[in-house]
Amino acid sequence: MTSSFNVHDAAGYEQLMGRWSQRLAPLFIDFAGLADGEKVLEVGCGTGSLTFALARNAALRKIVAIDYSPVFVEETARRNTDPRIEVQQADACALPFQSGSFDRALALLVLHFVPEAEKAIAEMRRVVRPGGVVAAAVWDHIGGMPGMRMMVDTVAALSESGRQLRALYCFKPMMQPGEMERAFVAQGLADVTQTELMIRMDYRNFHDYWAPIAAGEGPLGQYMAALDPVERERTEAAVRDAYEAGRPDGPRSFANVAWACRGVVP
Ligand SMILES: C[S@@+](CC[C@H](N)C(=O)[O-])C[C@H]1O[C@@H](n2cnc3c(N)ncnc32)[C@H](O)[C@@H]1O
């Protein structure tokens, strides 16, 4: 299996994550760096949060965005109006590009959904020219996402399947401290540095938080979709209680931390 990401619907993804990855993209670009005239590869573009943030840099020559999911390729292509952007379906673990054909390869919130993430890093390194940069960011599900931990801890307290969801969710590839840095070094990248990027996810109310998950989006949505109606109702009530935290329903804001790593192709 080359991707563990569950794609239901592009609009649902946008509400679950795209609106927040738009906040993360500029921080990630600052960390990854860009230079005038570059040809950049984006791996795992989703609905284009990073793609269109990159395109705000007028001096870039070309942006090639790939995704494994045809749903996302279609959606990013549909939204695109910039002739420098090319969107295509491809697998991060077998990139259909010649060696050394890009100045930079970036992956935002992708590697934790690639079971063989090391292969994807090796491929990103292969397609970047010597002296070019490979950079990636993944969420820190276990220690840096209290809004989503709130759900997985709640379901873990309710059932054995919830405990299994939590174990999977908290230990996806590249999420442990130093793990991505070690993988970058193991794939032969030089001058490897890792940092943490933080954004907040601000919800208007419980419905705003819950609707994409209830609709089956992402790994938590996939879990909900597999429950029977009684269990779904019990789970929703328990997560609502955790969201409200003893106050009336309304806005809640959660900090979210991503690990980001960058290395240079020798
Ligand atoms: C959480 S989304 C991130 C999307 C986008 N980069 C963003 O920040 O909003 C993860 C993305 O990785 C893509 N993906 C997962 N495995 C992949 C693979 N092997 N090759 C290419 N894309 C992959 C998924 O299809 C999905 O679009």
Side-chain angles (χ1 to χ4, degrees), residues 37-41 60-64 83-86 102:
E38 281 190 341
K39 181 180 175 190
V40 177
L41 172 66
L60 285 183
R61 180 163 50 92
K62 179 111 193 136
I63 300 158
V64 178
R84 295 171 303 160
I85 297 176
E86 191 181 301
F102 291 92

Side-chain angles (χ1 to χ4, degrees), residues 38 98-104 124-134 188-191 263-266:
E38 281 190 341
Q98 287 189 348
S99 300
S101 50
F102 291 92
D103 298 297
R104 224 167 274 261
M124 289 168 77
R125 181 204 149 153
R126 181 185 65 76
V127 300
V128 170
R129 64 164 170 82
V133 168
V134 172
L189 289 155
D191 301 330
V264 176
V265 176

Side-chain angles (χ1 to χ4, degrees), residues 74-170:
E74 197 179 302
E75 178 65 8
T76 301
R78 190 187 65 77
R79 291 177 179 202
N80 181 36
T81 55
D82 189 323
R84 295 171 303 160
I85 297 176
E86 191 181 301
V87 193
Q88 68 181 80
Q89 197 275 334
D91 178 3
C93 297
L95 292 170
F97 306 112
Q98 287 189 348
S99 300
S101 50
F102 291 92
D103 298 297
R104 224 167 274 261
L106 311 181
L108 180 63
L109 307 180
V110 176
L111 292 183
H112 49 311
F113 291 110
V114 182
E116 293 181 289
E118 297 82 2
K119 244 191 203 173
I121 298 167
E123 276 293 88
M124 289 168 77
R125 181 204 149 153
R126 181 185 65 76
V127 300
V128 170
R129 64 164 170 82
V133 168
V134 172
V138 302
W139 286 127
D140 175 5
H141 278 180
I142 193 167
M145 279 192 106
M148 297 300 154
R149 266 310 289 269
M150 185 177 77
M151 169 166 174
V152 294
D153 283 340
T154 301
V155 298
L158 293 178
S159 69
E160 182 50 35
S161 65
R163 288 177 62 77
Q164 288 168 13
L165 170 75
R166 180 170 64 182
L168 275 175
Y169 189 77
C170 288

Side-chain angles (χ1 to χ4, degrees), residues 2-5 7 13-14 17-22 24-25 42-50 66-69 72 90-93 95 107-115 120 139:
T2 203
S3 172
S4 66
F5 194 74
V7 187
Y13 175 77
E14 195 60 17
M17 189 54 70
R19 57 180 165 161
W20 311 125
S21 57
Q22 280 172 35
L24 188 61
E42 185 197 350
V43 173
C45 62
T47 47
S49 296
L50 176 61
I66 67 112
D67 201 283
Y68 190 66
S69 155
F72 286 145
D91 178 3
C93 297
L95 292 170
L108 180 63
L109 307 180
V110 176
L111 292 183
H112 49 311
F113 291 110
V114 182
W139 286 127

Side-chain angles (χ1 to χ4, degrees), residues 193-263:
T193 50
Q194 185 165 319
T195 192
E196 295 167 45
L197 306 175
M198 200 274 276
I199 60 150
R200 297 195 74 89
M201 296 184 181
D202 301 302
Y203 300 100
R204 291 189 300 279
N205 49 37
F206 178 67
H207 178 77
D208 190 34
Y209 165 85
W210 188 245
I213 297 172
E217 213 54 60
L220 304 185
Q222 197 170 20
Y223 174 83
M224 286 305 295
L227 297 180
D228 66 44
V230 172
E231 204 45 35
R232 277 175 72 88
E233 205 172 307
R234 187 167 85 110
T235 302
E236 177 174 334
V239 180
R240 173 187 282 278
D241 186 58
Y243 177 91
E244 292 179 356
R247 293 269 174 99
D249 190 13
R252 301 288 188 272
S253 178
F254 299 96
N256 291 268
V257 177
W259 299 112
C261 197
R262 177 186 65 197

